[in-house]
Amino acid sequence: MKFSIQRETLLQPITQVVGVVERRQTLPVLANFLISARNGKLSITGTDMEVELITSIEADVQIEGDITVPARKLVDIVRMLPEDVKITAVLEGDKMTVSSGRGRYTLATLPATEFPATDQVETLESLKIQEFTLKNLLDKTAFAMANQDVRYYLNGLLFDFHDGTLTTVATDGHRLAVCDLGADLGVAEERQLIVPRKGVLELSRMLTDGDDIVELALGKNHVRLVKGDTIFTSKLIDGRF
């Protein structure tokens, strides 16, 4: 595996994806990014088994392959490099060498086969929504979510689809925040999903105030958001809000 890429092109996506990687892990491979180099593109995946983020960027791929590397170490290395430099990464055995100019950094790796496979999202319904509209719904209600409450279903945000529209609701048992979307999303069935706290916070970080259209796929146990080359997937809390 060998690829070259500009520092800025790599820094933005890995900084975004590292947000889902927990500092304390039950499995060593969960502290790593899964990097896949294929067809002139680099795919970077991070997960904590509850929330997953995948993003794709263009790169000069000389030798294709898949490997996992320590997420935070890679971010730290890329961040401290000078601006506008070219980074080359080469996999040799079980070590990846990242070089730029006179700097050379060696990272221990784990096989891509150890990385947890993505659960397939069985899409029950798919809808399109403006990015800033969704961000606004989250921003106006997410602050009221509980944190580590024994009533586990309060540690998240309720997405209530009814009459073709969407209402977001959050409460910690003391305060309640509700926000309604006026526009009709064309959702056929009434449906309620509870997205866990971490998933909501990562979604808020991902979304901007732009008027691009993002796609939301609703599954039985997952919700997935597709924004350009980035795919966000979160498990849902199984409970009644």
Side-chain angles (χ1 to χ4, degrees), residues 22-49:
E22 290 287 349
R23 292 185 181 274
R24 293 180 181 176
Q25 297 293 352
T26 49
L27 291 171
V29 77
L30 291 179
N32 288 11
F33 287 138
L34 171 63
I35 298 180
S36 299
R38 294 265 186 288
N39 306 319
K41 281 207 161 188
L42 217 58
S43 171
I44 299 154
T45 306
T47 185
D48 67 350
M49 305 286 278

Side-chain angles (χ1 to χ4, degrees), residues 80-93:
M80 72 182 193
L81 290 172
E83 291 184 10
D84 298 324
V85 297
K86 191 175 185 181
I87 298 168
T88 301
V90 183
L91 181 64
E92 295 167 329

Side-chain angles (χ1 to χ4, degrees), residues 131-145 157 159 168 170 177-179 200-201 203-209:
E131 194 174 344
F132 75 86
T133 304
L134 183 57
K135 182 174 173 60
N136 186 48
L137 284 168
L138 299 182
D139 290 347
K140 288 191 172 178
T141 49
F143 69 89
M145 290 186 296
L157 188 76
F159 284 67
T168 51
V178 181
C179 189
V200 174
L201 298 178
L203 258 182
S204 294
R205 282 182 49 199
M206 243 181 92
L207 297 168
T208 66
D209 292 323

Side-chain angles (χ1 to χ4, degrees), residues 145-146 152-158 169-171 194-197 200 237 241:
M145 290 186 296
Y152 62 93
Y153 48 86
L154 296 185
N155 300 318
L157 188 76
L158 175 69
V169 187
T171 181
I194 307 175
V195 180
R197 180 185 176 85
V200 174
I237 294 176
F241 198 79

Side-chain angles (χ1 to χ4, degrees), residues 127-133 210-216 225-228:
L127 57 102
K128 289 182 165 58
I129 184 171
Q130 280 186 307
E131 194 174 344
F132 75 86
T133 304
D211 53 5
D212 292 342
I213 300 293
V214 295
E215 185 179 332
L216 209 56
L225 181 118
V226 181
K227 176 192 168 187

Side-chain angles (χ1 to χ4, degrees), residues 160-174:
D160 185 9
F161 295 91
H162 57 95
D163 302 324
T165 66
L166 169 59
T167 300
T168 51
V169 187
T171 181
D172 59 4
H174 301 284

